[in-house]
Amino acid sequence: MASSIICKPFLRATKPNSSLSPDLQRLHFFSLRISSKPRTHKKLQIQAAGSTFGNYFRVTTFGESNGGGVGCIVDGCPPRIPLSEADLQGDLDRRRPGQSRVTTPRKETDTCRIYSGVSEGVTTGTPIHVLVPNTDHREQDYKEMSIAYRPSHADATYDMKYGVRAVQGGGRSSARETIGRVASGAIAKKILKQFSGTEVLAYVSQVQQVLLPDGSVDHDTVTLDQIESNIVRCPNPEYAEKMIAAIDAVRIRGDSVGGVVTCIVRNAPRGLGSPVFDKLEAELAKAVMSVPASKGFELGSGFSGAFLTGSEHNDEFYTDEHGRVRTRTNRSGGIQGGISNGEIINMRVAFKPTPAISRKQRTVTREKKEIELLVHGRHDPCVAPRAVPVVEAMVALVLVDQLMAQYAQCNLFPINAELQEPLSLGFPN
């Protein structure tokens, strides 16, 4: 921009005295010539409000529950990774509606298309655009939502925040938004598996009062096939049947129940996470607590650790046969001081009962009139089974983001081989 010239009298200079000579007049009326540019204000940059996650592996989800479609943009994905729609479709199939009687009957294939960021079967390092169209949306099921607020939904708070909202299907507050999370999480899981042999697995460990006993699932050996062997995604067949029965009992009454999803991470690289505010468990907590209907988070011993003494809770160290420092127990949940220690990371996420139920409930209209409301539409009697791949996705997104941060800060130069190990080294089998 062009500069401007400003001339001002120096300090308290007065107008020239006409009785003085021209030279003295010039000295008497001394002027400062100041060159200045128009003042510019530094812009305050704000990240996209609530729709973008991650620092280095950045994911933005988009779309509405009953609009044209939903999806994600993944920015920061490393180049030259083999990737196809089939790599994403497996997890999307696990998340999609209409899988069984314990999920919503909405029929969607959730078929994904990759529109950018992949060329000749490999990632290019540029933004990856994934879209999943909506094909079975029924706007007529949501007429009541334009009039009254559904109890325990986001209808009222969206109006309080924005003064307007997408009525059909709940818009961005719908669980259908998680399609973008699962698609991007599938990419993250592939990176983790390829780079460090890291596996992220989740399963349902509780439905209402049906709770898996401690130790009933071996986290060292549990497999995806065991988890997917039944419609409730519990790897213990006996308890899976009890959980299904509990869901069926409320489903036929038009009600719903809550549940708990347990997630484990095997072969997690050591050193992920940062001290103080960016601890790994803090990042994981934020990630999984952003999943719709989530209400609680525990890592390792969680709240039960509050019942123990230090001598009972501490994880003692030892050196294994490979010369690696290990812990004899894992009440820390694989994270100490906010940093991964190489043990299995384990966490639990509690989900509330689905708020959309087929029973009359008291509420208020947008005009603040109290009425009774009967919610129509198709909803999950228990969200936990379909939340399993969503929790896996969010955990994987955190780990990839932290892996990139660790590689850039602490592995850019040769490591201290006496204390550190390459990030790509997994646990010996």
Side-chain angles (χ1 to χ4, degrees):
M1 299 178 69
S3 299
S4 59
I5 304 299
I6 302 173
C7 296
K8 293 184 177 180
F10 179 66
L11 297 179
R12 296 182 178 272
T14 59
K15 291 183 179 181
N17 189 332
S18 58
S19 63
L20 299 176
S21 67
D23 290 339
L24 290 176
Q25 287 184 28
R26 284 193 296 271
L27 288 175
H28 184 77
F29 190 62
F30 180 73
S31 296
L32 287 178
R33 295 174 64 84
I34 304 173
S35 177
S36 67
K37 294 182 179 180
R39 189 173 182 180
T40 58
H41 296 278
K42 186 177 180 181
K43 291 182 178 180
L44 178 63
Q45 295 181 347
I46 302 177
Q47 187 171 298
S51 293
T52 299
F53 182 83
N55 296 305
Y56 310 100
F57 191 89
R58 292 173 60 83
V59 175
T60 300
T61 69
F62 62 83
E64 311 284 351
S65 172
N66 281 276
V70 292
C72 64
I73 303 291
V74 180
D75 200 4
C77 180
R80 302 181 304 280
I81 297 172
L83 187 68
S84 68
E85 281 134 353
D87 292 319
L88 315 184
Q89 197 62 53
D91 279 349
L92 289 173
D93 288 344
R94 297 169 66 208
R95 193 226 71 94
R96 70 176 176 83
Q99 299 177 45
S100 70
R101 68 179 188 271
V102 300
T103 65
T104 171
R106 178 172 174 169
K107 298 296 182 183
E108 294 276 5
T109 62
D110 284 354
T111 303
C112 69
R113 287 287 305 275
I114 297 176
Y115 287 92
S116 68
V118 177
S119 178
E120 298 182 352
V122 297
T123 57
T124 60
T126 56
I128 300 172
H129 175 199
V130 182
L131 176 65
V132 172
N134 295 328
T135 60
D136 187 29
H137 49 93
R138 301 178 186 174
E139 294 188 6
Q140 67 273 15
D141 285 343
Y142 302 96
K143 290 180 180 178
E144 300 89 350
M145 290 175 55
S146 63
I147 303 170
Y149 300 127
R150 295 171 299 171
S152 286
H153 273 274
D155 304 341
T157 51
Y158 268 52
D159 268 355
M160 293 171 187
K161 179 174 179 64
Y162 300 109
V164 66
R165 61 185 165 89
V167 172
Q168 292 80 14
R172 291 288 286 165
S173 67
S174 167
R176 192 151 181 77
E177 174 271 331
T178 61
I179 282 177
R181 302 170 186 242
V182 172
S184 55
I187 301 172
K189 286 199 282 188
K190 183 160 190 175
I191 294 171
L192 291 168
K193 184 69 173 178
Q194 182 175 323
F195 183 81
S196 55
T198 303
E199 294 179 283
V200 182
L201 289 172
Y203 61 88
V204 176
S205 55
Q206 182 178 345
V207 168
Q208 201 179 23
Q209 297 181 20
V210 181
L211 173 63
L212 270 176
D214 289 340
S216 59
V217 176
D218 187 345
H219 287 172
D220 289 307
T221 61
V222 65
T223 66
L224 179 62
D225 288 341
Q226 290 173 330
I227 294 168
E228 293 294 316
S229 64
N230 56 74
I231 59 177
V232 80
R233 294 202 167 95
C234 172
N236 183 299
E238 176 188 354
Y239 278 84
E241 290 302 318
K242 295 179 181 179
M243 292 176 183
I244 294 170
I247 297 174
D248 280 339
V250 297
R251 178 178 58 85
I252 61 177
R253 301 199 307 264
D255 214 334
S256 64
V257 290
V260 175
V261 171
T262 294
C263 186
I264 64 168
V265 182
R266 292 194 293 237
N267 295 337
R270 299 181 178 196
L272 303 187
S274 300
V276 192
F277 298 114
D278 297 328
K279 292 179 177 179
L280 184 55
E281 63 263 50
E283 298 298 313
L284 290 169
K286 176 183 178 180
V288 298
M289 289 299 290
S290 73
V291 177
S294 61
K295 285 296 179 183
F297 172 81
E298 288 186 319
L299 181 90
S301 63
F303 285 96
S304 65
F307 294 97
L308 305 178
T309 64
S311 58
E312 293 170 326
H313 190 272
N314 287 346
D315 295 318
E316 295 183 346
F317 290 108
Y318 76 101
T319 304
D320 68 9
E321 64 273 20
H322 302 283
R324 305 180 86 220
V325 175
R326 301 283 305 276
T327 60
R328 298 188 186 279
T329 53
N330 192 23
R331 299 183 187 92
S332 300
I335 301 174
Q336 293 172 322
I339 299 170
S340 61
N341 63 8
E343 303 295 336
I344 291 177
I345 298 174
N346 67 82
M347 68 202 83
R348 290 168 299 284
V349 189
F351 289 89
K352 69 179 182 180
T354 315
I357 57 176
S358 301
R359 303 177 71 167
K360 283 188 176 181
Q361 302 175 82
R362 291 190 296 273
T363 186
V364 297
T365 66
R366 289 177 115 174
E367 289 73 34
K368 302 179 182 178
K369 178 183 177 183
E370 294 187 12
I371 65 167
E372 279 193 336
L373 176 69
L374 179 61
V375 176
H376 295 284
R378 299 154 293 175
H379 309 282
D380 294 90
C382 179
V383 301
R386 289 180 61 213
V388 164
V390 184
V391 171
E392 289 177 0
M394 294 310 299
V395 170
L397 290 175
V398 170
L399 295 177
V400 163
D401 204 48
Q402 294 294 321
L403 181 65
M404 290 182 172
Q406 175 68 8
Y407 192 91
Q409 182 187 16
C410 299
N411 286 59
L412 187 63
F413 295 99
I415 62 174
N416 182 345
E418 293 182 1
L419 301 174
Q420 297 173 289
E421 62 188 22
L423 291 173
S424 59
L425 177 65
F427 245 75
N429 293 323

